[in-house]
Amino acid sequence: MLSVSHLSKSFNYRPVLKDITFNLNASETIVIMGKNGAGKSTLLRILARIMACDSGEVLFQNIDMFKGVPNARKKLLYLGHAPAMYTALSAVENLELAMDLRESSVDQSIIRDHLDKFGLLDQADDPISIYSQGMLQRLKLTYAELADWDLLLIDEPFSGLDQDGILQMDDALTRWKLGFKSMCMVLHNRERAEQYGDRILHLDDGLILEE
Amino acid sequence: MTPFFQNKTNRVWFLLAAGFILFNIWNVIYNIPMVPDQHWAQKIFYVHVPSAWVGFLSYFIVMIAGIMFFVKGHDKWDDVGLAAAEIGTLFMALVLITGPIWATPIWGQPWIWEPRLTTTLILFLIYIGYFMMRSFGGHAERVRRYAAALGIIAFVDVPIIFVSVQFWAPEIQSHPQVEMASQPPGILIPFLLSLGIFTIIYTLMLKFRIHVIKIKNRNVADV
Amino acid sequence: MFFTLLKKELFIEFRSREVTLSMLVFGLSIILAFAFTTNVSKVIVANYVPGMFWIMVLFVTVLGVHRSFAYEKEFDAFSMLISAPIDRGLIFVAKWISGFIFLTLMEILVAIPFFKFLLIDFPPDPFLAIGTTLLINLAIMAVASLVSGIAMRARLSEVLLPVLLFPLLSPVIISATKISAGIMAGDPFKLWQIWLLIILSIIVIFALVGYTLFDFITEE
């Protein structure tokens, strides 16, 4: 499904990722762990082609991500720390736009149904600039529910969520796992990592160590 | 990495280039006949025009390096681009200094918006921005992509800048190079010689600078 | 897909009005400064009017184009665009065309104050003036959107943008001033057609270069 080979990335000649090589099989979940600043988020952003890397190769569904056509990213979904949505637009408008960009437009009513499920319907038409951290996290979760993806890159899914939100996130992750979806997530909590991950990779000193 | 001058070819080329420079200076000052109506002022052309040629060549190399950097994605093209940009800007500065030196006695004032000089000035300013971006635009790996893009659009802009500047002030049509070509061989041949010598020096400088940049990057990486 | 992107640019602007409003207010302040520094004498101003107009447009463009890329960085919104399965060159085209629309809108709003405050007559052939202005706007925005795309992720982008943009735009400044001066003076087309040709070549070249380069420069 995803094959990463010899990926490297430096910031001002300080290598953060030195020689990252790993494979992710279909319907497998990989958890990436590591200290703060170990380059976990950087790795996910490179895989989503949001950040450029210095060298290396990434094959997603056997298509070279760095050379392939934009369509190679079609079945990939990245959810980072930031919401990656426009502050001036409402939740509904943002999701509509995001789905249009993925070339799989959905009806507004479906979006509203999903927002309702995650308790965002009341604020669905407010600009997301007034959303709280937890609400933005729920918004991302809604996006992941709506979008059609084969591989989800998710960065610290539980951060900023309240008790209710944690349950919903847990429910979604478990459901995706049981539905044989592939995921690559960054987690800090050991317990959760073991719960969701088929494999745990440790990112340390720019190298990947498998447990 | 071995020091630059431990390589025998580099050493030979350095000595040759040094010899050429000395010969060129001697040749220009003592040997070449004066152009009757310009006297000493004309001799600055043997520096001015080759500098301009080398400067534009260098900026052309920056563009090629930028394209190669995007196509191949290899850091060495960034080193080439940076080295060529630095040396190119140095020679462009020489052009901007020697131009007014010639113009002051001949035209009566240092600056009259001659199209080539104006184009040089605009390019020089673009490259000042280029180095500003390089030095405080962010971390090196990010900035090098922007620098490559900038090198490409700067050179793509050159012909447009030149044409527009030329038509902007059509009354100024004194092109040193054109006059040069119509000079007798006693002046033309040393001029072409100087052009060649500058190109050799430039090639050596570029090679040396790329070497230095490589060492610098590696040292920063090791810290 | 291009229309989705363009719709997004226009819709966000419709919501926030950040770009057009800041352009408009800044443009008016510049006109005010021009009026104060020239003592508004018809004799003095007439010669400089085309230049003044395009200087104003240039300053306003920097502000607008910077804003239009700056909001992409809030909440990391830009990563929604670049991680989407779309041709990134289209992001450039959308920014370019939307910037063109905002600039034209600003010029329409600012045109009457410009001519009336500086006590000058409207151009003899308004359609010619409007037509050429549209083309010049396209040229300015093509260069500005590309340079802004390059500078947006850099530190001090607000400094780098004008420093890089002004010299790169010098052919456009020259051509625009010459065209406007020609139209204001009622010169025949033959006298200033070369400048229109330069503007057209800038539009074509920078559109192609921008479309091609954007794939490489949008990543963080």
Side-chain angles (χ1 to χ4, degrees):
Chain A
M1 162 84 52
L2 180 80
S3 135
V4 180
S5 39
H6 308 296
L7 205 69
S8 74
K9 170 81 184 170
S10 312
F11 291 102
N12 261 337
Y13 306 104
R14 306 260 140 91
V16 175
L17 305 175
K18 278 176 189 159
D19 186 13
I20 303 291
T21 301
F22 68 92
N23 274 304
L24 190 147
N25 305 320
S27 69
E28 187 184 31
T29 299
I30 285 186
V31 174
I32 299 172
M33 297 184 78
K35 286 193 288 255
N36 286 332
K40 307 179 295 290
S41 302
T42 305
L43 178 58
L44 287 201
R45 285 176 86 78
I46 289 173
L47 295 181
R49 279 218 65 186
I50 291 166
M51 192 180 265
C53 66
D54 298 342
S55 61
E57 195 184 50
V58 176
L59 293 179
F60 176 59
Q61 294 172 328
N62 292 319
I63 303 170
D64 188 336
M65 283 279 281
F66 297 146
K67 294 208 179 80
V69 285
N71 247 334
R73 306 191 277 271
K74 192 153 190 230
K75 296 283 188 171
L76 192 88
L77 182 67
Y78 165 81
L79 298 178
H81 284 282
M85 291 190 183
Y86 290 94
T87 48
L89 303 182
S90 73
V92 175
E93 288 156 355
N94 263 311
L95 289 173
E96 237 182 334
L97 171 66
M99 295 307 287
D100 284 349
L101 288 174
R102 293 179 73 82
E103 287 169 333
S104 50
S105 309
V106 288
D107 213 53
Q108 259 211 27
S109 59
I110 299 174
I111 294 178
R112 280 179 200 281
D113 285 349
H114 276 82
L115 284 169
D116 191 22
K117 221 163 61 185
F118 295 104
L120 289 172
L121 192 61
D122 290 344
Q123 287 94 350
D125 293 307
D126 294 338
I128 63 161
S129 50
I130 60 164
Y131 277 31
S132 71
Q133 183 66 36
M135 287 163 77
L136 291 170
Q137 206 73 358
R138 284 157 192 260
L139 182 58
K140 282 191 259 173
L141 191 56
T142 318
Y143 181 26
E145 287 279 7
L146 277 166
D148 173 29
W149 47 268
D150 288 342
L151 172 64
L152 176 69
L153 305 167
I154 186 163
D155 202 344
E156 295 185 42
F158 291 98
S159 75
L161 282 173
D162 57 11
Q163 201 53 47
D164 209 27
I166 288 175
L167 287 177
Q168 278 172 339
M169 182 60 82
D170 174 64
D171 173 63
L173 290 177
T174 315
R175 194 153 29 82
W176 291 328
K177 213 171 136 51
L178 292 175
F180 301 107
K181 297 268 208 173
S182 311
M183 288 183 276
C184 181
M185 61 175 94
V186 168
L187 283 175
H188 283 295
N189 187 310
R190 177 94 228 161
E191 221 171 285
R192 288 212 177 99
E194 274 162 10
Q195 180 190 345
Y196 301 115
D198 298 314
R199 278 191 295 151
I200 299 178
L201 303 181
H202 276 272
L203 202 54
D204 187 33
D205 199 24
L207 294 169
I208 284 258
L209 300 167
E210 199 149 340
E211 253 182 33
Chain B
M1 202 181 270
T2 51
F4 188 72
F5 289 112
Q6 230 164 58
N7 183 318
K8 201 176 166 202
T9 343
N10 289 340
R11 235 174 13 230
V12 170
W13 275 108
F14 175 74
L15 291 174
L16 270 177
F20 280 145
I21 295 173
L22 292 174
F23 166 76
N24 201 28
I25 294 171
W26 171 81
N27 196 26
V28 167
I29 295 177
Y30 294 105
N31 214 14
I32 304 172
M34 295 270 187
V35 173
D37 53 348
Q38 296 197 1
H39 299 285
W40 276 99
Q42 187 267 340
K43 299 229 168 180
I44 199 82
F45 272 9
Y46 299 100
V47 178
H48 178 75
V49 179
S51 300
W53 147 248
V54 163
F56 277 100
L57 174 71
S58 203
Y59 285 167
F60 177 69
I61 292 174
V62 178
M63 177 180 74
I64 299 297
I67 294 171
M68 291 308 283
F69 179 72
F70 284 141
V71 174
K72 301 272 179 207
H74 199 286
D75 289 353
K76 79 172 180 207
W77 290 109
D78 178 60
D79 299 341
V80 175
L82 177 57
E86 284 176 349
I87 301 172
T89 308
L90 183 75
F91 277 102
M92 285 306 194
L94 263 181
V95 173
L96 291 175
I97 293 166
T98 52
I101 290 179
W102 177 80
T104 308
I106 303 299
W107 288 337
Q109 49 190 336
W111 190 265
I112 63 157
W113 298 103
E114 196 272 331
R116 278 162 216 270
L117 275 178
T118 311
T119 308
T120 308
L121 180 66
I122 294 171
L123 257 184
F124 185 74
L125 284 176
I126 295 174
Y127 268 87
I128 299 283
Y130 174 97
F131 288 113
M132 281 169 73
M133 159 113 51
R134 281 266 191 191
S135 51
F136 50 67
H139 63 79
E141 288 77 10
R142 178 187 294 181
V143 164
R144 62 176 52 147
R145 270 178 301 130
Y146 306 149
L150 211 53
I152 295 170
I153 62 174
F155 202 80
V156 165
D157 215 18
V158 168
I160 312 175
I161 294 175
F162 182 69
V163 170
S164 51
V165 172
Q166 201 172 21
F167 283 99
W168 170 60
E171 64 278 7
I172 304 161
Q173 285 294 358
S174 196
H175 291 168
Q177 283 90 328
V178 179
E179 288 174 6
M180 226 50 212
S182 58
Q183 296 292 343
I187 287 170
L188 183 62
I189 289 169
F191 171 72
L192 294 176
L193 196 66
S194 184
L195 219 59
I197 291 172
F198 264 75
T199 314
I200 291 171
I201 299 167
Y202 168 71
T203 316
L204 192 71
M205 282 173 82
L206 185 66
K207 221 179 145 192
F208 181 68
R209 194 62 206 156
I210 293 170
H211 183 86
V212 170
I213 289 170
K214 266 189 195 145
I215 292 177
K216 203 175 116 198
N217 290 353
R218 209 186 45 166
N219 283 355
V220 178
D222 284 344
V223 172
Chain C
M1 191 46 66
F2 166 68
F3 288 102
T4 308
L5 288 167
L6 185 64
K7 204 180 85 188
K8 165 232 144 200
E9 298 290 341
L10 299 181
F11 192 62
I12 289 179
E13 181 52 28
F14 173 71
R15 268 292 157 77
S16 64
R17 295 185 186 88
E18 279 173 4
V19 177
T20 36
L21 203 61
S22 44
M23 284 168 96
L24 177 65
V25 176
F26 190 42
L28 288 173
S29 340
I30 295 173
I31 294 174
L32 206 63
F34 279 151
F36 290 146
T37 47
T38 51
N39 282 327
V40 206
S41 139
K42 203 168 178 175
V43 191
I44 298 176
V45 173
N47 266 325
Y48 298 104
V49 157
M52 284 175 168
F53 185 77
W54 293 113
I55 288 176
M56 175 190 70
V57 168
L58 213 60
F59 279 116
V60 160
T61 300
V62 171
L63 206 67
V65 105
H66 182 258
R67 195 55 231 153
S68 141
F69 277 89
Y71 76 68
E72 297 282 358
K73 291 196 280 191
E74 290 166 15
F75 274 16
D76 194 25
F78 205 47
S79 63
M80 183 213 269
L81 286 191
I82 60 173
S83 68
I86 51 167
D87 184 349
R88 287 170 184 176
L90 292 179
I91 300 176
F92 164 75
V93 183
K95 283 282 178 202
W96 170 32
I97 299 300
S98 64
F100 162 75
I101 293 171
F102 301 149
L103 182 60
T104 308
L105 203 66
M106 174 268 169
E107 283 170 353
I108 291 170
L109 294 175
V110 105
I112 291 176
F114 184 83
F115 286 98
K116 289 300 154 199
F117 282 169
L118 295 174
L119 307 181
I120 36 174
D121 303 328
F122 285 109
D125 190 344
F127 292 108
L128 205 58
I130 293 168
T132 51
T133 302
L134 289 179
L135 285 176
I136 296 165
N137 289 352
L138 270 179
I140 290 178
M141 271 301 162
V143 184
S145 306
L146 175 56
V147 176
S148 195
I150 292 174
M152 76 171 282
R153 302 261 204 197
R155 273 182 61 240
L156 297 176
S157 58
E158 69 281 5
V159 179
L160 287 171
L161 177 61
V163 164
L164 292 169
L165 186 59
F166 279 34
L168 278 168
L169 270 179
S170 41
V172 186
I173 305 168
I174 296 174
S175 311
T177 315
K178 291 279 186 186
I179 291 173
S180 304
I183 291 175
M184 292 295 277
D187 289 344
F189 176 66
K190 254 205 143 116
L191 277 182
W192 48 268
Q193 59 179 357
I194 173 76
W195 302 111
L196 208 59
L197 212 63
I198 291 175
I199 291 288
L200 287 174
S201 53
I202 288 173
I203 296 174
V204 172
I205 290 171
F206 274 85
L208 291 175
V209 173
Y211 179 80
T212 320
L213 282 184
F214 239 58
D215 191 32
F216 301 104
I217 56 175
T218 42
E219 277 165 54
E220 229 179 309

